[in-house]
Amino acid sequence: MHTMWKGSISFGLVNIPIKLYAATEDKDVKLRNLHSKCHTPIQYEKKCPNCDETVGNDDIVKGYEYVKGKFVILDEDELKQLKQEHEDKAVEIIDFVNLEEIDPIYFNRSYFVGPGENGGKAYSLLREALLKSGKIGVAEMTIRSKQQLAVVRVYQNTIVMETIHYPDEVRNTTDVPSVPEKTELGEKELETAIMLIDQLTTTFNPETYKDDYREALLNLIQKKAGKNEGKTPADAPRENVVDLMSALQASIDRSKEKPAKKETAAKKQEPAKAKKKTKTARKKA
């Protein structure tokens, strides 16, 4: 697992050297844009529409548009100095709260936290303290040149840090158009809706859900590649098709692992549902 960030977590006088690892990954199947005539990947040039010329990286500066068409220019030295002033390699836990007090809308990105060199004991101390107290830590940190608010909690014996949005980054619900005010509903309609919710209520098991579209797309790609329908530009280097097919098959196999788990999870839930119905029957009796 690739280390994304090194630093430390501190709470009170306790300082823990840590490393961050991405806890999630995007498994979307990425499709390239090709020229229909020769199937060569399309390149996108950086071009100035005003000067009508292609520009290189050395010709590009950073700017903020404070009024339509007017920009404040920030040079590299200014940005570098600002970054150095705020990029403290420490995560400081400033408060401890209950997880249920934070609405899910605030959560952004998750990272696994591993101990750094000689940090195992202090890491275990924080993990056990969080578990026994039932609390999560609210922390401040800077990552990728952006100051972040984050929560520190335990997930399956590992400390996880999740960046969360600042309050002013969450848009106001009053800006959502056409949201109805409180509406008069028939009692029977509401009872039927609640009954439907009760019937569909179960214990959340993430393994029961899968990306059907991604699996179907991978199967289609494998089928077309197996029929030698792959197109290669004349000047492109040849790759080992066997290795590529193996990688595709591995992706499909991983996608197909979940249905089996779904059936297992369903079987586990059947006795629980049966017990629930029995208890309901007894109450009615």
Side-chain angles (χ1 to χ4, degrees):
M1 201 176 271
H2 174 67
T3 302
M4 300 186 62
W5 186 90
K6 292 181 182 179
S8 63
I9 286 182
S10 64
F11 66 105
L13 299 176
V14 179
N15 193 69
I16 311 164
I18 62 162
K19 296 177 182 179
L20 288 191
Y21 309 89
T24 59
E25 59 180 322
D26 182 1
K27 287 201 170 184
D28 285 348
V29 180
K30 293 179 172 58
L31 304 178
R32 301 282 300 277
N33 289 330
L34 310 178
H35 184 196
S36 61
K37 180 180 178 181
C38 63
H39 300 104
T40 300
I42 300 298
Q43 294 181 348
Y44 296 93
E45 294 181 325
K46 294 176 181 176
K47 191 171 183 179
C48 174
N50 183 59
C51 303
D52 194 26
E53 60 183 50
T54 302
V55 295
N57 289 335
D58 293 339
D59 301 317
I60 297 174
V61 296
K62 301 288 186 184
Y64 177 79
E65 189 174 20
Y66 65 99
V67 176
K68 185 69 174 176
K70 290 185 177 290
F71 298 86
V72 171
I73 305 302
L74 303 166
D75 63 47
E76 289 299 324
D77 289 337
E78 290 173 321
L79 292 172
K80 187 176 179 180
Q81 182 180 352
L82 200 61
K83 181 180 175 182
Q84 289 173 343
E85 288 174 359
H86 291 83
E87 196 168 31
D88 183 10
K89 292 288 186 179
V91 180
E92 184 185 1
I93 297 177
I94 50 180
D95 290 308
F96 288 93
V97 301
N98 295 313
L99 176 60
E100 56 270 21
E101 293 175 2
I102 303 176
D103 191 277
I105 199 170
Y106 283 93
F107 287 92
N108 185 13
R109 189 174 178 85
S110 303
Y111 299 91
F112 289 139
V113 179
E117 190 175 351
N118 300 321
K121 188 172 182 179
Y123 181 96
S124 297
L125 172 65
L126 176 59
R127 182 182 60 193
E128 295 307 310
L130 289 172
L131 283 171
K132 287 190 179 296
S133 67
K135 305 292 184 183
I136 64 170
V138 178
E140 287 183 339
M141 65 174 296
T142 301
I143 186 170
R144 290 178 177 171
S145 305
K146 184 179 186 299
Q147 185 170 322
Q148 299 270 10
L149 198 60
V151 297
V152 179
R153 64 186 184 88
V154 179
Y155 172 76
Q156 295 184 357
N157 205 42
T158 300
I159 294 176
V160 172
M161 184 162 62
E162 295 177 274
T163 55
I164 61 175
H165 294 289
Y166 284 98
D168 61 353
E169 293 178 316
V170 179
R171 291 176 173 175
N172 199 319
T173 57
T174 56
D175 295 335
V176 182
S178 305
V179 175
E181 295 295 326
K182 190 172 180 180
T183 308
E184 289 294 329
L185 297 171
E187 193 172 331
K188 187 155 187 171
E189 291 175 320
L190 188 57
E191 285 178 359
T192 304
I194 293 171
M195 188 184 301
L196 178 59
I197 290 172
D198 287 340
Q199 288 175 353
L200 296 176
T201 297
T202 184
T203 302
F204 177 67
N205 181 0
E207 298 297 338
T208 63
Y209 307 98
K210 66 188 181 89
D211 189 339
D212 295 317
Y213 172 77
R214 175 162 57 89
E215 184 180 321
L217 182 56
L218 284 169
N219 279 317
L220 176 62
I221 292 169
Q222 186 191 39
K223 184 179 177 182
K224 292 177 76 69
K227 288 182 178 178
N228 242 351
E229 293 186 30
K231 305 294 183 181
T232 307
D235 59 344
R238 291 280 177 177
E239 297 287 349
N240 189 330
V241 177
V242 176
D243 290 345
L244 293 175
M245 288 295 290
S246 298
L248 261 177
Q249 187 60 52
S251 296
I252 294 168
D253 291 342
R254 279 199 299 271
S255 296
K256 288 181 177 177
E257 284 176 4
K258 291 183 179 179
K261 291 178 181 177
K262 183 176 181 179
E263 289 174 8
T264 305
K267 286 179 181 177
K268 286 181 180 177
Q269 289 171 13
E270 281 175 8
K273 288 183 178 179
K275 287 179 184 176
K276 188 176 180 181
K277 287 178 181 177
T278 305
K279 287 181 180 177
T280 307
R282 284 177 185 166
K283 283 181 182 177
K284 287 181 179 178

